[in-house]
Amino acid sequence: MLPQVEEALTEFPQIQARQADTSRIPELAGMLSIFTAPVLILFADGKETQRDARFVHMEEFKERVGKMYKGYYDEPDN
């Protein structure tokens, strides 16, 4: 799924993607309440803003990320 996520995020250059294997870092699974894989979690200002797990529909994911991104980065100048 990582290649699909990276491809989807090319339209949003301010978003940085990171990957973690919770089987190698089980503490992370507990800390983020991850019970299945894959899980895509989007954070903004240190807070979780979006979570998609197990069956991720990339077009829906991309659409929601785009709405968040537009509101966050494309604010009109005052």
Side-chain angles (χ1 to χ4, degrees):
M1 173 152 267
L2 183 61
Q4 293 171 308
V5 172
E6 289 174 334
E7 172 65 26
L9 294 179
T10 59
E11 294 183 31
F12 314 109
Q14 297 294 331
I15 296 177
Q16 298 177 13
R18 298 291 182 259
Q19 175 185 4
D21 182 347
T22 56
S23 68
R24 297 184 71 197
I25 313 169
E27 305 84 27
L28 184 62
M31 188 173 86
L32 295 175
S33 299
I34 297 173
F35 303 108
T36 188
V39 176
L40 304 178
I41 305 173
L42 184 67
F43 290 90
D45 295 327
K47 296 180 183 174
E48 183 177 324
T49 60
Q50 182 174 316
R51 179 182 289 241
D52 290 281
R54 198 168 201 158
F55 301 108
V56 179
H57 299 280
M58 289 307 298
E59 287 304 315
E60 292 174 14
F61 170 78
K62 191 173 167 181
E63 184 178 318
R64 287 193 314 273
V65 170
K67 287 178 183 177
M68 185 279 311
Y69 188 88
K70 182 174 175 129
Y72 199 81
Y73 288 105
D74 293 344
E75 293 290 325
D77 293 334
N78 293 331

